[in-house]
Amino acid sequence: MANTKPWGGRFQEGMNASVEAYTQSVSWDSTLFEQDISGSCAHASMLAEQGVLTPDEAQQLIAGLEQIRNDIHNGSFQWKSELEDVHMNIESRLTEMVGDVGKKLHTGRSRNDQVALDFRLYVSDRLREWIRLAKKLAAMFVARAEEHRRTVLPGCTHMQPAQPVSLAHHLLAYAWMLTRDMRRFTDAERAARICPLGAAALAGTTYPLNPTSTAKKLGMYGVFANSMDAVSDRDFVLEALFCASTAMMHLSRFCEEIIIWSNPMFGFVKLPDAYATGSSIMPQKKNPDVAELMRGKTGRVYGDLTAMLTLMKGLPMTYNRDLQEDKEPFLDADRTVSASLQIMTGMLKELIFDEQRMHAALSRGFVNATELADYLVGKGIPFREAHRITGNAVAMAEKQHCSLEELSLEQLQALNSSIEQDVYTVLDYETAVARRNISGGTGPDSVEQQIQTLRTLLA
């Protein structure tokens, strides 16, 4: 059987069927058809500008490519695994449509720089979508924080009650995480959108191409500096996957809190029915499955990053077929990140915060102990001594199964005579929160400043 591949000139026999199935990539890289067609249209236009093609030839090619784009969108395009990848499928169909002029499209170009271009454009486009989705989620955290400026709950360190904080402050912490994610996405998007066309297979080309013109047509930020690096670089994929992993880690942290807080033993949140499931045997159950799955899918995205790092670590210059495996990790991570950001926005919007349960929890764990220590410091007592006295007060309250503010003035004065009636104002939880108006603190003025700053950033 003769070899009919576009690259099969020197081959006498066709490829083994199992090998053909093993080596094809069109089953997943067809996702890049928009970027492939846009890149080919820009390439054809540039070839005409440089006199490599006639204006009429370029117009035929572009018209044919646009027809193929329409055919793919309406489902009439037939993908063929024997044509290996998205590039050969489109080029083969183009040649069927416009004749021999279709064979000129690849002038000055290799699949090596072509796939690098397509993938750079695709990753860039998806990073722009991640930015949009992260911005919506950050705005939702700000909106929910605005609703709960005065809601107070125990803040924790080591998962143990530590100090009272406002729920708004707690939620805004995640909004700030997402702004950092957005910044990383933006930096990665700029790194991805660099044009490699003109690098050809690895050494550049003898045709008088103008990569800058192609880059401008595609809205790219620059062109390659080294042709060998241009076709073998996948740092932009690694950077995007690191950004994805970090964003999923942030989502997973909030998922963990939803899972803990929705447990009736905490009862800080009530799950909306649309984002929970039941049990097949226990009728009372309302399980935080969405949050659990998102927490689990974080590991999946970490795996995508690890797969890509492992893929790249042993590759010599320049293009190696291993690089065919660079698409699936990113496509998988993209599906996970995009869906997770969107679903978390919906879940957060519907989440019900139980202010009474949060307030009731304040009296457990002595979260106002630091207030007592600071009060004593204000009376002229050295902090370490104030710390010891407060520890004694906590031990006394623990023995009597009460909170610090439930100890009588006589009991507190037995520990230190400087304590007066005004201590109960200091031990008030809302007062404790209100006093912390240092920049970035949980106090109402600080929280309001955070909200205004975030509004400006997100606008």
Side-chain angles (χ1 to χ4, degrees), residues 28 67 80-81 104 107 117 139 145 170 185 233 278 294 308 338 421 425:
W28 63 84
Q67 181 58 55
K80 300 177 181 178
S81 61
K104 296 185 176 184
T107 305
L117 174 71
H170 194 119
F185 292 161
D233 170 40
M294 198 173 294
M308 193 66 199
S338 299
Q421 185 66 38
T425 300

Side-chain angles (χ1 to χ4, degrees), residues 99 186 189 313 358 428 442:
T186 300
E189 192 274 334
K313 73 176 183 65
M358 289 180 177
D428 179 76
T442 190

